[in-house]
Amino acid sequence: MNVLVVNAGSSSLKVRLLDGDDRLTASLDLGEWAGAEETEELARFVGGLRRVDAVGHRIVHGGAEFRDPALLDPDVRRRIADLTELAPLHQPRGVAGIDAIARVLPETPAVACFDTAFHAGLPDAAATYALPREWNQKWGLRRYGFHGLSHAYAGRRAGELLDRPATTLRLVTCHLGAGASLAAVSDGRSMDTTMGFTPLAGLVMATRTGSVDPGLVLWLLQHAGLSTSHVSRALEFESGLAGLTGGSGDMREVLRGVADGRPESRLAFGVYTHRLRREIAAMTGSLGGLDALVFTGGVGEHSPDVRAAATADLAYLGVEVDETANRAATTDTDISASGAPVRTLVITSREDIEIARLTRAAIRPDAPGPPSR
């Protein structure tokens, strides 16, 4: 089954066609896609594809309702759009992606695959906020978690690299990009994660603050004269690495600043990696141990400096990295030091493969999946 994978970001659109063996046969990147329902370039690309059997869409938020992939119809599309308040940047673009492809391929079955679904089965103790019970029940307040498609793929791929069933492994998967989160994965299931009700929680990110004291936010609103919209914008777009450096949130720029001796860059890198180390260790507490640590996402895959700093003080957990292997790592490789009891892996993020797998399963539940890579 050939699956067209549609990944609508906050400002871009990535489209991939995967064949039945998950080989990439065609791709299109629209870097400045504004969420238009139809563009000439997109229509021309999709119309020129030889065969599309199904479409799989990445949707950031499934709320409490969507715990599994969902076959798209007008009602499902409406319910996805109704969740916009939970992901105001990404949800409208996901819906626009659904509409754009439906206009070009109106008869092709389509499936919505949710970033939150992998975390939908979090244990109650991990998912529940210590808020008034009636609040949690009335408004569905819980830890949703995100980047689930990436975490799920990384966990399965780790099992293949280690030649062990993923269901036998205790993993901490680190999706590090402009957005960043960790997941504690046991028996192939998410047991804990760093993001929460929104993608603002957890790790320091490119422009997002990560977790902060809620009392600090209240103080800013009550005593600093800042409006709700000002604080909201700052937490989402003006914090994280960009806020700490006063410039770019791109980790490559931060590392150049470190090399140039800029104190703000050194502080930003230190805050980022301190939080990362701390949260990796915290995730192991939800697992009762650790078999492998996985780095994925743009920063996780391409920054040996981040990986080295993140693992430098984790020998007590059994994590030790070979410096040469770490520097040479490109894709899907083991960078562990010889004899390290916990393996450390670098895995290329392939959300497209995970979406294609889920799409096939949703359309043909009894059909065999593609062979292991």
Side-chain angles (χ1 to χ4, degrees):
M1 181 187 293
N2 289 353
V3 178
L4 187 70
V5 175
V6 183
N7 188 335
S10 58
S11 62
S12 64
L13 182 70
K14 297 179 180 179
V15 186
R16 305 285 186 266
L17 182 65
L18 302 184
D19 69 12
D21 293 320
D22 283 338
R23 289 187 294 259
L24 180 65
T25 61
S27 65
L28 173 70
D29 288 354
L30 298 179
E32 296 299 326
W33 186 66
E37 288 187 353
E38 192 171 7
T39 70
E40 182 179 345
E41 188 175 5
L42 178 63
R44 185 167 59 248
F45 170 77
V46 176
L49 298 175
R50 174 174 287 184
R51 195 185 95 208
V52 177
D53 300 309
V55 180
H57 291 270
R58 176 191 174 226
I59 302 297
V60 166
H61 217 306
E65 178 180 3
F66 294 105
R67 301 170 64 91
D68 297 292
L71 279 168
L72 280 162
D73 59 27
D75 181 60
V76 169
R77 180 217 177 271
R78 176 189 59 77
R79 284 145 55 197
I80 291 171
D82 286 345
L83 296 170
T84 292
E85 287 186 357
L86 296 178
L89 291 178
H90 291 86
Q91 207 77 354
R93 303 302 177 96
V95 174
I98 291 171
D99 294 341
I101 299 299
R103 287 176 178 272
V104 185
L105 299 172
E107 303 301 322
T108 304
V111 175
C113 301
F114 300 93
D115 251 334
T116 51
F118 182 61
H119 306 294
L122 282 174
D124 288 344
T128 305
Y129 287 113
L131 292 168
R133 182 180 180 187
E134 59 271 21
W135 290 11
N136 287 337
Q137 293 176 342
K138 181 177 181 179
W139 293 305
L141 306 180
R142 56 157 287 160
R143 186 180 298 278
Y144 285 109
F146 299 89
H147 298 133
L149 295 164
S150 177
H151 288 301
Y153 174 79
R156 290 192 302 107
R157 185 63 178 140
E160 293 173 358
L161 292 176
L162 297 174
D163 197 24
R164 288 180 56 181
T167 53
T168 69
L169 292 170
R170 297 167 300 178
L171 306 169
V172 173
T173 52
C174 309
H175 177 96
L176 307 178
S181 68
L182 308 182
V185 182
S186 179
D187 193 27
R189 298 172 54 242
S190 176
M191 306 302 291
D192 206 349
T193 188
T194 53
M195 283 182 169
F197 183 71
T198 75
L200 271 174
L203 302 175
V204 175
M205 300 172 235
T207 64
R208 297 176 193 151
T209 178
S211 294
V212 296
D213 180 351
L216 183 154
V217 177
L218 292 173
W219 187 90
L220 290 171
L221 293 171
Q222 295 168 352
H223 301 289
L226 300 179
S227 67
T228 302
S229 60
H230 188 173
V231 172
S232 175
R233 184 174 66 254
L235 295 177
E236 185 77 47
F237 300 110
E238 300 168 4
S239 298
L241 293 173
L244 289 167
T245 62
S248 173
D250 189 318
M251 179 57 74
R252 292 167 295 187
E253 291 296 324
V254 174
L255 289 170
R256 279 192 278 270
V258 171
D260 292 340
R262 297 176 194 163
E264 65 274 17
S265 297
R266 289 199 300 267
L267 176 62
F269 185 76
V271 172
Y272 181 99
T273 54
H274 169 80
R275 181 78 61 84
L276 178 54
R277 270 194 312 275
R278 189 184 76 181
E279 294 300 327
I280 289 171
M283 289 293 106
T284 67
S286 298
L287 296 171
L290 186 64
D291 297 307
L293 176 65
V294 179
F295 289 96
T296 190
V299 175
E301 296 165 31
H302 301 299
S303 180
D305 294 300
V306 168
R307 296 192 297 261
T311 57
D313 297 319
L314 298 182
Y316 72 97
L317 292 177
V319 176
E320 295 183 70
V321 168
D322 180 271
E323 182 178 354
T324 301
N326 182 37
R327 290 287 165 187
T330 53
T331 180
D332 291 19
T333 189
D334 189 329
I335 61 171
S336 312
S338 177
V342 172
R343 311 314 293 169
T344 301
L345 307 176
V346 179
I347 292 177
T348 298
S349 182
R350 292 296 306 271
E351 291 171 320
D352 56 339
I353 289 179
E354 187 67 14
I355 292 169
R357 185 183 74 87
L358 294 171
T359 298
R360 295 186 189 102
I363 292 175
R364 298 179 184 171
D366 299 325
S372 296
R373 299 171 65 238

